[in-house]
Amino acid sequence: MEKLPARTGWLWVKEGFALFRKQPFEMSTLFLSYMFLMLAIGIVPLLGQILPMVLVPVFSMAFMQACANIEQGKKVYPNLLLTGFQTPALRKLLILGVLYLAAAVVAIAASMLIDGGVLWDLMSGRKELDEQTVRQSNLTLAMIFSAAVYTPAAMAFWYAAPLIMWQDMGVGKALFYSFFAVQRAGKAFLTYGLAWILIGVLLPAIASSIVALLVARAAAVMIVLLPLSLMLTVVMYCSFYPTYTHIFGRPEQKPAAA
């Protein structure tokens, strides 16, 4: 694994847009199908809070495979959501999901050292976010601290799912390779993250502010903001694929069945 220059991070974003432009409707439909499924799972008592997190690695492979299909000139359909469930690596992806959930719980629990448990209560649904809660706690600092605690885990999880599914690695090996791959490409990931803050956060905010000044109607702002946010979210999902291929190469195409 060679070290990548900082400009590679911007290239990942551009390639994400390029993949999206080839099948925008199909990728948007796949994403909306995923969101609808997550909402349906969320209705289930207790499991609805746990399963979406555990299944993140499984469903993430649907979007990775969709991008691979686009590169290969294949059509993307919503049934790709089943990709992770149809692979022999399903058990390992589920184990990865459990570790993903555990890491998130540890990171949020660590925030208690800063705010006395406010963030934990908010995330667990025990307390609603209001102005008084924010003003009387170190919530912002707690969120920053929690993110810092979670960062090493995020590095280990970033490539783990595709390494497990496409390169048949064990969970431990995939986490190891992912962590050090992200570390070696640190400058590229910094550029990538800053680019998405600019495009995914500031751009929608600026667009909605301009519309609000011109029209001064909340409905008009939402008409602009919702499609723009949806498109940028899907493009971001598309950009995950080039972050993998630039380091580990493209997944091998399986030979067609005789």
Side-chain angles (χ1 to χ4, degrees), residues 27 29-42 47-48 50-67 76-87 89-98 100 157-158 160-162 165-166 237-238 240-241:
M27 288 301 297
T29 301
L30 181 68
F31 178 75
L32 289 173
S33 300
Y34 167 66
M35 294 303 296
F36 178 79
L37 187 57
M38 288 298 98
L39 286 173
I41 293 175
L47 285 177
I50 298 173
L51 277 181
M53 293 285 286
V54 173
L55 293 175
V56 164
V58 181
F59 284 120
S60 70
M61 290 311 302
F63 294 94
M64 296 291 276
Q65 188 61 54
C67 292
V76 170
Y77 295 104
N79 63 359
L80 277 177
L81 285 176
L82 300 176
T83 297
F85 294 96
Q86 296 170 336
T87 175
L90 175 59
R91 179 176 171 275
K92 289 187 284 187
L93 290 175
L94 290 174
I95 292 173
L96 185 66
V98 172
Y100 183 91
F157 289 128
W158 188 264
M165 181 167 158
W166 284 339
Y237 273 62
C238 291
F240 296 161
Y241 179 74

Side-chain angles (χ1 to χ4, degrees), residues 206-250:
I206 293 170
S208 59
S209 298
I210 292 173
V211 173
L213 288 173
L214 294 175
V215 182
R217 289 185 179 179
V221 173
M222 294 305 293
I223 288 173
V224 173
L225 189 58
L226 284 178
L228 179 60
S229 298
L230 171 64
M231 184 198 75
L232 292 176
T233 301
V234 179
V235 172
M236 184 174 67
Y237 273 62
C238 291
S239 72
F240 296 161
Y241 179 74
T243 72
Y244 174 85
T245 58
H246 277 238
I247 294 179
F248 296 101
R250 287 171 171 76

